[in-house]
Amino acid sequence: DFIKKIVLTSLPRTITVSSNEIAELFLISFASVFVVGSISIFNFSFNLQSVPFSIIGISYSLAAFPTLTRLFTGGHREEFVSQMITSSRHIIFWSLPVSVLFIVLRAQIVRVILGAGRFNWDDTRLTAAALALFTISLVAQNLVTLFVRSYYSQGKTKTPLIMNVLSAGVIVVSSYYFIYLYKSSLYFKYFIESIMKVSDIPGTIVLMLPLGFSFGLILNLIIHWWGFAIHFPTFSKPVLRTLFQTLSSSVIMGYVSYLSLNILADTFNTDTILGVFLHGFISGVLGILSAIIVLYILNSTELKEVWTTLHHKIWKAKIVPPDPELN
């Protein structure tokens, strides 16, 4: 009975966690029938967007899980919701700016990390465009991971299983539909190529895969959020406030970074890795400074918490004195 209980508990969790990987296999199979190099472009861009997902989404959800479990099993419903609100606000606060920076600085990121050897300029541009489409769903990926952990902390395994399996199905079906739409509608094809600035290179059909992936993840977030808010109605209001503030500052940050890229275009030698890095880094820093100013004006709670942490735990930290016996 004990082994049976473990299997019945762990199996749904295993399927839930691996559902996106199964969908990814389908997307790779789609990429295999496109032009040569499509699989590499898909994998490179997917791996790059997985870095902020692992650092932000996985880290916050794993850190919050023991506390969520303790609060829920202890009957502290209000504290449970408060912890979910805090974790969600912090995930949004870090994820949205990173997502916008990845979209604006996508070419610089790809060129610094991958732009060497046989990885030519067309490959760089396609990978950068795919990276931008993947990172559109970065906030959704990170929040879904937290919602899944919240269900586990409540002892529910079937609900996230059903939601994530449906999401995986939506990813596959929407990607297939976008591929069909790309082939059948020149207007849609030219729109995607124009907005991603890849109109003059072949193989842009591969962009339908990250587009379908992001569509499925955003829909998954909506379903998870809606399901959680039904049981905990006080959750949405403070989180949406953070979402509005962070989105406002992130849009301005992206605009400032984009302007900086254009203004500083002739300042650095973009034929070298160092020049490309400094071009993107300084543009990103200027954008981040503008976002901080906007968040300060909007009286952002998260910005105050970050400042308090830096002020008290780093700059005001006491120096550990040496042992007198060692002097």
Side-chain angles (χ1 to χ4, degrees):
D1 291 339
F2 179 72
I3 295 177
K4 181 180 179 181
K5 184 179 180 180
I6 293 177
V7 172
L8 292 177
T9 303
S10 61
L11 185 59
R13 295 189 180 189
T14 303
I15 298 175
T16 301
V17 172
S18 61
S19 58
N20 281 348
E21 281 73 15
I22 295 173
E24 184 186 347
L25 288 176
F26 276 94
L27 299 188
I28 291 175
S29 68
F30 290 158
S32 65
V33 300
F34 299 157
V35 299
V36 176
S38 295
I39 294 179
S40 297
I41 289 170
F42 177 87
N43 285 332
F44 283 143
S45 57
F46 184 84
N47 291 338
L48 286 174
Q49 71 90 36
S50 296
V51 174
F53 169 64
S54 300
I55 294 175
I56 301 173
I58 299 296
S59 299
Y60 268 103
S61 60
L62 289 178
F65 180 64
T67 303
L68 292 173
T69 303
R70 175 175 54 82
L71 292 174
F72 189 85
T73 55
H76 306 292
R77 185 183 176 93
E78 292 184 3
E79 289 83 353
F80 173 82
V81 178
S82 178
Q83 180 62 42
M84 275 294 294
I85 291 172
T86 300
S87 299
S88 299
R89 287 193 298 107
H90 287 173
I91 285 177
I92 292 172
F93 179 78
W94 294 111
S95 299
L96 259 177
V98 170
S99 181
V100 171
L101 281 179
F102 265 56
I103 292 172
V104 175
L105 305 178
R106 60 187 184 271
Q108 285 72 28
I109 293 172
V110 173
R111 287 187 68 188
V112 169
I113 298 176
L114 302 173
R118 299 181 63 184
F119 206 78
N120 60 38
W121 180 233
D122 287 350
D123 295 333
T124 300
R125 292 172 62 193
L126 267 183
T127 304
L131 174 62
L133 291 174
F134 270 126
T135 52
I136 288 174
S137 63
L138 180 61
V139 176
Q141 294 179 58
N142 293 339
L143 285 178
V144 165
T145 305
L146 178 64
F147 280 125
V148 169
R149 293 296 189 281
S150 74
Y151 281 115
Y152 289 163
S153 67
Q154 300 173 56
K156 300 177 181 178
T157 56
K158 291 184 179 179
T159 302
L161 169 64
I162 294 172
M163 290 180 176
N164 278 29
V165 169
L166 286 175
S167 171
V170 170
I171 289 173
V172 175
V173 172
S174 60
S175 296
Y176 182 83
Y177 174 74
F178 286 136
I179 292 171
Y180 168 78
L181 193 60
Y182 176 93
K183 292 180 177 179
S184 60
S185 173
L186 288 177
Y187 176 80
F188 178 74
K189 175 185 176 182
Y190 293 151
F191 172 75
I192 295 295
E193 291 180 342
S194 175
I195 199 171
M196 300 312 301
K197 298 182 178 179
V198 290
S199 301
D200 56 338
I201 57 178
T204 53
I205 191 173
V206 72
L207 299 180
M208 300 304 101
L209 304 182
L211 182 61
F213 180 87
S214 290
F215 179 83
L217 261 298
I218 292 172
L219 181 62
N220 195 16
L221 171 62
I222 294 172
I223 295 172
H224 272 87
W225 191 315
W226 174 75
F228 189 85
I230 288 178
H231 296 93
F232 306 100
T234 58
F235 169 78
S236 294
K237 186 176 180 180
V239 179
L240 288 175
R241 179 176 180 271
T242 297
L243 180 63
F244 168 76
Q245 291 181 340
T246 310
L247 180 61
S248 301
S249 63
S250 297
V251 169
I252 294 175
M253 178 190 67
Y255 180 69
V256 172
S257 297
Y258 180 77
L259 285 180
S260 301
L261 283 176
N262 293 330
I263 294 173
L264 300 175
D266 298 328
T267 305
F268 302 98
N269 181 11
T270 54
D271 292 331
T272 65
I273 295 295
L274 180 61
V276 173
F277 172 77
L278 291 175
H279 186 203
F281 178 76
I282 294 177
S283 300
V285 168
L286 293 174
I288 291 171
L289 290 176
S290 68
I292 293 174
I293 293 173
V294 174
L295 288 171
Y296 179 79
I297 294 173
L298 294 175
N299 197 28
S300 170
T301 303
E302 292 71 31
L303 183 64
K304 292 179 181 178
E305 292 172 351
V306 171
W307 170 254
T308 301
T309 300
L310 293 174
H311 189 66
H312 292 288
K313 293 187 177 181
I314 298 178
W315 294 326
K316 292 294 183 178
K318 295 182 179 180
I319 304 296
V320 178
D323 192 335
E325 298 180 358
L326 299 179
N327 293 333

